């Protein structure tokens, strides 16, 4: 069992040995090949997952059938469709691994047992949801108020390793620009660094 997930949780709460064991026993560990779709639109999300290793993308299909990336998640991040998982309703999202990934999963039953047995985990998941909401609000404000160039710079600041890990067209999709624009701005920034 990796210590990383324990360190992630103990940023928010203290755990006794018994509580730590109950938590780790509640998790299912999965090694997932890259390009695996973990959730499709119309399915009910049955997991909240902690990424031990890898890179995952969340996206939806717009009215024209184009993929629109709304989130990247990498090591030490949690991933899910919170609305679908919580309400057990069909998702509007897709969740896909972009790299070979190692993910610790909770399903609705194991999460509920965890929250019942160790109520202080409510704090962990509340803070994770608040952090997620804050990230989404910042992204929305940036999308409305910043130029495409500034959005790219903010993206690189927030996700410094992503540009080397994922294809440019996924970054373009996330930023709402063309892949040609991403290529141009990367070249411009590279020339300034010389």
């Amino acid at each position: 069992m990796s210590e990383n997930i324990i360190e992630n949780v103990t940023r928010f709460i203290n755990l006794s040995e018994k509580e730590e064991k109950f938590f780790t026993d509640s998790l299912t560990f999965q090694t997932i090949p890259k390009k695996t779709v973990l959730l499709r639109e119309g399915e009910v999300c049955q997991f909240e997952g902690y990424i031990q290793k890898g890179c995952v993308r969340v996206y939806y299909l717009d009215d024209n059938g184009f993929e629109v990336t709304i989130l990247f998640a990498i090591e030490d991040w949690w991933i899910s469709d919170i609305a679908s998982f919580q309400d057990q309703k069909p998702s509007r999202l897709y969740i896909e691994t972009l790299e070979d990934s190692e993910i610790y999963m909770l399903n609705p039953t194991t999460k509920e047992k965890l929250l019942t047995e160790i109520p202080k985990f409510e704090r962990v998941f509340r803070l994770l949801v608040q952090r997620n909401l804050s990230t989404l609000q910042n992204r929305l404000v940036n999308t409305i108020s910043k130029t495409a160039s500034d959005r790219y710079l903010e993206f690189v600041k927030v996700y410094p390793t992503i540009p080397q890990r994922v294809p440019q067209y996924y970054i373009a999709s996330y930023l709402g620009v063309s892949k040609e624009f991403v290529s141009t701005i990367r070249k411009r920034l590279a020339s300034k660094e010389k």
Side-chain angles (χ1 to χ4, degrees):
M1 176 63 60
S2 170
E3 291 300 311
N4 293 354
I5 192 168
I6 299 301
E7 289 173 13
N8 180 278
V9 167
T10 55
R11 285 181 210 149
F12 308 115
I13 58 172
N14 294 317
L15 293 175
S16 68
E17 285 185 28
K18 180 181 175 187
E19 290 169 335
E20 186 176 309
K21 180 169 179 5
F22 188 90
F23 172 57
T24 56
D25 288 350
S26 301
L27 299 166
T28 303
F29 180 76
Q30 295 187 22
T31 301
I32 304 165
K34 73 178 183 177
K35 295 305 225 173
T36 300
V37 178
L38 302 172
L39 178 69
R40 288 180 168 75
E41 180 180 12
E43 296 175 349
V44 175
C45 185
Q46 296 297 327
F47 67 90
E48 285 189 5
Y50 170 83
I51 302 172
Q52 169 70 29
K53 178 184 172 206
C55 180
V56 177
R57 159 177 96 109
V58 179
Y59 67 96
Y60 71 93
L61 298 179
D62 70 11
D63 292 340
N64 297 314
F66 294 110
E67 296 177 2
V68 178
T69 301
I70 61 170
L71 178 73
F72 294 102
I74 56 175
E75 291 84 5
D76 202 36
W77 289 41
W78 288 80
I79 192 77
S80 184
D81 176 341
I82 296 169
S84 177
F85 181 87
Q86 179 64 37
D87 298 334
Q88 289 295 285
K89 292 185 178 176
S91 178
R92 297 180 58 203
L93 304 174
Y94 292 80
I95 300 177
E96 174 187 33
T97 57
L98 298 180
E99 297 174 346
D100 293 339
S101 299
E102 297 174 358
I103 303 177
Y104 289 99
M105 304 273 200
L106 286 168
N107 65 43
T109 303
T110 56
K111 183 180 178 187
E112 194 55 42
K113 285 180 185 174
L114 177 65
L115 296 176
T116 300
E117 182 70 23
I118 311 172
K120 61 185 163 184
F121 265 95
E122 292 275 357
R123 174 178 167 75
V124 173
F125 291 104
R126 176 180 54 82
L127 292 172
L128 289 171
V129 168
Q130 286 175 336
R131 186 174 70 179
N132 188 13
L133 178 59
S134 175
T135 300
L136 291 173
Q137 284 177 332
N138 287 335
R139 178 162 183 233
L140 178 60
V141 169
N142 287 342
T143 299
I144 293 168
S145 66
K146 293 190 175 186
T147 66
S149 296
D150 287 342
R151 288 197 312 269
Y152 180 80
L153 293 172
E154 181 73 18
F155 173 82
V156 172
K157 183 178 165 186
V158 174
Y159 297 105
T161 65
I162 295 290
Q164 292 78 42
R165 296 174 76 170
V166 305
Q168 278 187 190
Y169 57 89
Y170 288 152
I171 296 170
S173 165
Y174 177 88
L175 296 171
V177 298
S178 70
K179 61 184 176 184
E180 292 79 16
F181 174 84
V182 172
S183 180
T184 300
I185 193 164
R186 287 173 86 167
K187 287 177 188 170
R188 194 178 318 144
L189 290 171
S191 69
K192 283 182 180 178
E193 292 174 1
K194 292 180 180 178

